[in-house]
Amino acid sequence: MKNDLKELTEQHVLIIGYVWVEPNSSAAGSRMMQLIEQFLKHNFKITFASPAQKSEKATSLSSLGIDEVSIELNNASFDGFIKELQPTIVMFDRFMMEEQFGWRVAENCPNAIRILDTEDLHFLRKTRHQQLKKGEEFTTEALLKSDDAKREIAAILRCDMSLIISTYEMDLLKSVFKVDEKILYYLPFLLDKIDDHQQEKWKSFDERANFVFVGNFFHKPNVDAVLTLKTEIWSEIRELLPKAEVHIYGAYANQQINQLHNKKEGFIIKGFAEDAKEVVRNARIVLAPLRFGAGIKGKLTEAMICGTPSVTTEIGAEGMCDRFPWNGFVENDFSDFALISAELYRNKNLWKSYQLTGAEIINEIYDKEKLGVLFINQIKEIQENLEQHRTQNFLGNLLQHQTLQATKYMSKWIEAKNSIQ
């Protein structure tokens, strides 16, 4: 495919959001804004619809010229809405939205391209969590037995294009689940390149202090990571660095997180950060001892953007840096994790060398100018060959047919039940 952008006319994308967009609260919110920015850049008209309640942290999409619409689950009002809207593209934010609305889109707007933004593979994260709680080693056999995997992969198969955020997840879908790569599209975070001028503005080793963790606490891997940091790692770091502190930031901290606050031990719960990048720019090291999860970790790309080395686990770094060395250390043993964190914290030369590798990863893997053009071109290519593209996706057609029957009547039953209550 050529890199030059193909001509697009009269494109209207309907995004069906699982939640309203909160780019300052989570990596998922940042990811959605990155996609929205690409559509706006290429002159798409955008309508964003969601059945969720808006929180005070939700960004104002209307200020960007985007129509915001509240929709309802299991309600025929959506049929009239999309018939009138007639978008050329419908993008589902996570597979749950495809399950709820995909059949209605297919029935009422059959010529619209259906795109699934997976965010990350939810079944991968959930299965890892279940195995961790059972004390079991992660295996792909457990994934093959997962009902969540069946649901999410069915949604992928029903769509014309699914956005897969990490190389690990692309390989998993192709090798373990035998999903045809024609309906998969690798699209990591879309980030600005870090030029020399930006690197010169990074704060130096001596201008920085403390460790930091940033994460949304609605997200279970983040809760587990902070608990792990407190119980398995921090006391060893403090023995080596008695004056060091770790500052924990994140939206929606619950009592389980807040009660970990202990100023005497240097374990400080800070709460929501209005500007997470500013927090990370002033820290010396990002710690992310993730024991389960999936996708790309926003806290770790954020560290790279801010010139802040990080220490994480194999799951933390998974699918994120391709052939490039990590901008810090990747370690699963938590005693070693503490030792290398302390060493990186006090070794200026080591710290500076890892600071630079983060910029290389961002510039080579996450360049939004290059990735954005390829993404929009891929949409155009599918639009130009939509009938053939769908004919070749036989399993998708089969599932679409069956789902249209089963989900449609289940939804209509719920709708009828709700109307008489």
Side-chain angles (χ1 to χ4, degrees), residues 24-71:
N24 295 326
S25 297
S26 69
S30 296
R31 160 68 160 190
M32 181 54 71
M33 279 306 302
Q34 292 161 14
L35 296 173
I36 286 171
E37 284 166 6
Q38 286 301 316
F39 290 133
L40 289 174
K41 180 179 178 181
H42 296 110
N43 300 314
F44 284 52
K45 177 176 172 53
I46 304 175
T47 300
F48 191 98
S50 178
Q53 292 290 317
K54 258 191 184 179
S55 84
E56 59 184 21
K57 294 184 176 70
T59 196
S60 171
L61 297 176
S62 58
S63 67
L64 301 173
I66 296 168
D67 293 333
E68 298 183 54
V69 180
S70 290
I71 52 177

Side-chain angles (χ1 to χ4, degrees), residues 118 156 162-166 169-170 173 184-188:
T118 58
I156 288 170
S162 288
L163 308 182
I164 310 302
I165 206 163
S166 84
E169 293 182 1
M170 279 292 286
L173 289 169
L184 302 176
Y185 191 77
Y186 169 59
L187 191 69

Side-chain angles (χ1 to χ4, degrees), residues 19 22 25 125 215-223 251-254:
V19 293
E22 295 184 23
S25 297
R125 171 163 31 90
N216 184 319
F217 293 110
F218 273 163
H219 196 54
K220 290 180 181 177
N222 288 334
V223 174
Y252 307 110
N254 55 24

Side-chain angles (χ1 to χ4, degrees), residues 364-409:
E364 293 297 324
I365 298 176
Y366 302 98
D367 176 8
K368 74 176 183 183
E369 295 303 321
K370 179 176 70 176
L371 294 170
V373 169
L374 294 171
F375 170 50
I376 299 297
N377 277 347
Q378 182 70 8
I379 290 173
K380 181 61 176 173
E381 191 166 290
I382 291 172
Q383 282 179 323
E384 290 174 348
N385 304 282
L386 186 57
E387 186 176 349
Q388 182 185 13
H389 183 79
R390 286 179 175 171
T391 300
Q392 291 176 345
N393 181 17
F394 178 77
L395 283 178
N397 283 323
L398 174 68
L399 283 168
Q400 191 65 258
H401 173 76
Q402 294 301 106
T403 302
L404 202 61
Q405 304 307 312
T407 312
K408 175 179 178 178
Y409 291 107

Side-chain angles (χ1 to χ4, degrees), residues 226 230 246-248 255-271:
V226 171
K230 183 67 159 63
V246 60
H247 295 172
I248 310 296
Q255 186 181 356
Q256 188 180 26
I257 295 298
N258 287 328
Q259 68 186 11
L260 299 176
H261 180 82
N262 190 319
K263 191 163 180 60
K264 187 179 176 183
E265 294 175 4
F267 201 93
I268 314 297
I269 308 299
K270 292 280 194 174

Side-chain angles (χ1 to χ4, degrees), residues 134-316:
K134 293 176 186 175
E136 298 174 353
E137 288 291 317
F138 170 70
T139 64
T140 53
E141 289 211 3
L143 294 177
L144 291 166
K145 295 174 184 176
S146 162
D147 288 342
D148 292 293
K150 295 179 180 75
R151 286 176 58 196
E152 191 161 4
I153 289 172
I156 288 170
L157 290 169
R158 286 191 295 263
C159 287
D160 301 308
M161 179 185 191
S162 288
L163 308 182
I164 310 302
I165 206 163
S166 84
T167 53
Y168 177 87
E169 293 182 1
M170 279 292 286
D171 291 342
L172 183 74
L173 289 169
K174 289 190 290 185
S175 63
V176 175
F177 293 96
K178 313 301 180 188
V179 178
D180 188 342
E181 64 182 317
K182 290 190 183 74
I183 61 170
L184 302 176
Y185 191 77
Y186 169 59
L187 191 69
F189 287 164
L190 306 169
L191 305 173
D192 290 314
K193 292 185 82 168
I194 304 170
D195 60 25
D196 292 343
H197 178 65
Q198 287 171 281
Q199 291 183 40
E200 287 167 7
K201 292 197 297 185
W202 283 342
K203 288 194 172 181
S204 69
F205 177 88
D206 293 320
E207 291 174 303
R208 297 169 180 248
N210 302 319
F211 296 90
V212 71
F213 176 95
V214 182
N216 184 319
F217 293 110
F218 273 163
H219 196 54
K220 290 180 181 177
N222 288 334
V223 174
D224 181 79
V226 171
L227 291 170
T228 300
L229 183 56
K230 183 67 159 63
T231 59
E232 303 284 338
I233 298 168
W234 186 244
S235 61
E236 289 193 46
I237 292 178
R238 279 281 281 197
E239 278 185 30
L240 297 164
L241 303 168
K243 294 182 180 179
E245 293 181 350
V246 60
H247 295 172
I248 310 296
Y249 288 88
Y252 307 110
N254 55 24
Q255 186 181 356
Q256 188 180 26
I257 295 298
N258 287 328
Q259 68 186 11
L260 299 176
H261 180 82
N262 190 319
K263 191 163 180 60
K264 187 179 176 183
E265 294 175 4
F267 201 93
I268 314 297
I269 308 299
K270 292 280 194 174
F272 178 66
E274 291 291 343
D275 186 345
K277 282 192 176 71
E278 187 60 26
V279 166
V280 177
R281 285 188 198 105
N282 287 292
R284 193 172 288 177
I285 295 172
V286 166
L287 298 177
L290 294 156
R291 298 198 301 163
F292 67 98
I296 291 176
K297 317 308 182 295
K299 61 179 65 62
L300 295 174
T301 52
E302 191 169 64
M304 297 174 195
I305 290 166
C306 296
T308 310
S310 63
V311 184
T312 189
T313 57
E314 286 180 11
I315 283 177

